[in-house]
Amino acid sequence: MLRKKSTKRRRPTRKIDKSKLAEYDYHLPVMLEETIEFLDIKQKGIYVDGTLGGGGHTHEILQRLVAGGQVHAFDKDKAAIDHCHLRFSDELAKGDQSRLIIRHMSYEKACSIEEVRGKVQGILLDLGVSSRQLDDLGRGFSHRGNADLDMRFSGQGRSAEDIVHAASEDELVRIFYSYGEDPFAKAIARRICEKRRAIPLKTTFDLRTVIEESVPQGQIIKSMSRIFQALRIAVNDELRVLEETLQLSPELLAPGGRLVILSYHSLEDRIVKNVFKELSGKSLSNDSKNLSSGVPKLKILTNKPILPSYEETVGNPRARSAKLRVAERV
Ligand SMILES: C[S@@+](CC[C@H](N)C(=O)[O-])C[C@H]1O[C@@H](n2cnc3c(N)ncnc32)[C@H](O)[C@@H]1O
């Protein structure tokens, strides 16, 4: 049975099981019950967890699978992969019989894995960063600690430092406006360009100082979060990867297979909403491109996003901005 669709924050339904907190030391999974319910796990189904992180969601999926069922779990982050190799070592030790296949690569590659194309019963994307990535101040994702301005999930490609130095002022404004929706984007971009002519901006605290110098006192903390988020999204090309993967997802899913997406800011949620609409034939804009046959590929199961319960947001502040949308392969 599907949960009643509602955008209302649901009142307490579940207490966080404190005995499980050690298990979730790496990352406390968000909307775990809801995502599992919507994935509607078939015991011998094939599932894709595109964002393995600490493995919280994957663990719950595995619990519901018997031999023959599979989870293909992706993460770009070596630390997450190492953590999950340890966490799931018993399962992985089964070799060919393992129900878990861990893939150290971007989830956008899932569509090119021939053995799962058209057979997947459920895809889960739990977007953004894990708590561990934020708490590991050396990764440069957080403005709370001083570290190299890195922010790469994979440790490869352009870092935040590279972008801060190579992007034009207009490009920086675009990144800060579009990915951070920061009202002080212009002032911050201008200050970066002035400063970088004199000294290299290499660390998170260098960027913090620029923001402190560009933004009114009372706005500094909010602006820092928005600018750090914007750079992270740009560094990892997160929105392009999300949109392209959603567009290709019908090729992976078996009929009736579910696409379950947890997003954490409005830009991600807008992409999920719009691609769902487009692939279900509800949007006029791009119908001709993706519905060339005129046949919808997805059916939307959540007309409005599902939000976490009030209690979950109290126990896990990271859940506050979560939105869950679900669609089903027609
Ligand atoms: C919010 S965490 C997932 C947490 C996980 N659901 C759990 O319960 O522990 C997001 C994870 O997705 C990973 N990630 C982000 N973009 C990715 C991509 N394009 N491909 C693979 N992994 C990605 C990040 O490295 C991070 O570990």
Side-chain angles (χ1 to χ4, degrees), residues 26-30 49-57 74-77 80 105-108 124 126-130 133 153 238 241 264 318:
Y26 192 99
H27 177 87
L28 187 57
V30 172
D49 180 350
T51 49
L52 175 63
H57 287 97
F74 295 73
D75 207 297
K76 284 169 83 173
D77 187 336
M105 59 174 82
S106 173
Y107 63 72
E108 69 197 298
L124 170 65
D126 176 16
L127 301 168
V129 264
S130 66
Q133 286 166 328
F153 289 139
E238 291 176 40
V241 171
Y264 295 89
R318 191 186 140 73

Side-chain angles (χ1 to χ4, degrees), residues 7 12 21 58 65 107 144 151 166 168 228 233 252 261 264 288:
T7 49
L21 284 182
T58 277
L65 296 182
Y107 63 72
R144 284 183 291 117
M151 300 196 191
S168 67
F228 273 70
I233 290 174
L252 264 185
I261 315 291
Y264 295 89
S288 50

Side-chain angles (χ1 to χ4, degrees), residues 103-121:
R103 299 182 185 274
H104 182 196
M105 59 174 82
S106 173
Y107 63 72
E108 69 197 298
K109 299 266 165 46
C111 292
S112 56
I113 296 174
E114 215 38 61
E115 61 197 272
V116 300
R117 274 173 83 89
K119 297 182 191 154
V120 173
Q121 295 292 344

Side-chain angles (χ1 to χ4, degrees), residues 154-310:
S154 65
Q156 286 169 2
R158 286 191 315 170
S159 67
E161 181 189 339
D162 294 333
I163 292 184
V164 158
H165 284 277
S168 67
E169 188 171 327
D170 284 351
E171 179 65 0
L172 288 172
V173 173
R174 189 191 67 75
I175 290 171
F176 298 157
Y177 263 136
S178 337
Y179 302 158
E181 298 174 322
D182 191 274
F184 306 102
K186 273 191 183 159
I188 297 167
R190 194 177 318 121
R191 188 79 188 120
I192 286 177
C193 293
E194 280 165 12
K195 281 199 102 166
R196 74 185 182 189
R197 280 194 282 273
I199 48 161
L201 302 170
K202 294 180 94 54
T203 67
T204 48
F205 278 11
D206 291 339
L207 182 59
R208 255 178 81 146
T209 306
V210 170
I211 298 168
E212 283 162 357
E213 290 168 355
S214 319
V215 171
Q217 187 65 31
Q219 302 293 323
I220 289 174
I221 295 291
K222 276 192 182 156
S223 225
M224 275 192 208
S225 302
R226 290 190 290 244
I227 297 300
F228 273 70
Q229 170 190 288
L231 270 175
R232 190 203 82 215
I233 290 174
V235 164
N236 297 292
D237 206 3
E238 291 176 40
L239 302 184
R240 178 198 62 77
V241 171
L242 172 63
E243 165 140 28
E244 288 184 10
T245 305
L246 292 176
Q247 292 283 5
L248 291 175
S249 61
E251 294 176 24
L252 264 185
L253 288 166
R258 300 271 176 91
L259 190 49
V260 176
I261 315 291
L262 265 172
S263 66
Y264 295 89
H265 56 78
S266 54
L267 303 163
E268 289 171 343
D269 184 56
R270 206 174 305 145
I271 290 173
V272 180
K273 182 172 90 178
N274 289 340
V275 176
F276 276 15
K277 270 190 178 171
E278 189 185 321
L279 296 180
S280 64
K282 290 191 175 163
S283 147
L284 298 175
S285 55
N286 285 319
D287 281 1
S288 50
K289 190 174 71 190
N290 279 307
L291 293 179
S292 47
S293 61
V295 179
K297 296 177 181 175
L298 293 179
K299 180 169 103 189
I300 297 173
L301 302 185
T302 49
N303 280 325
K304 295 197 169 153
I306 310 286
L307 304 182
S309 68
Y310 169 74

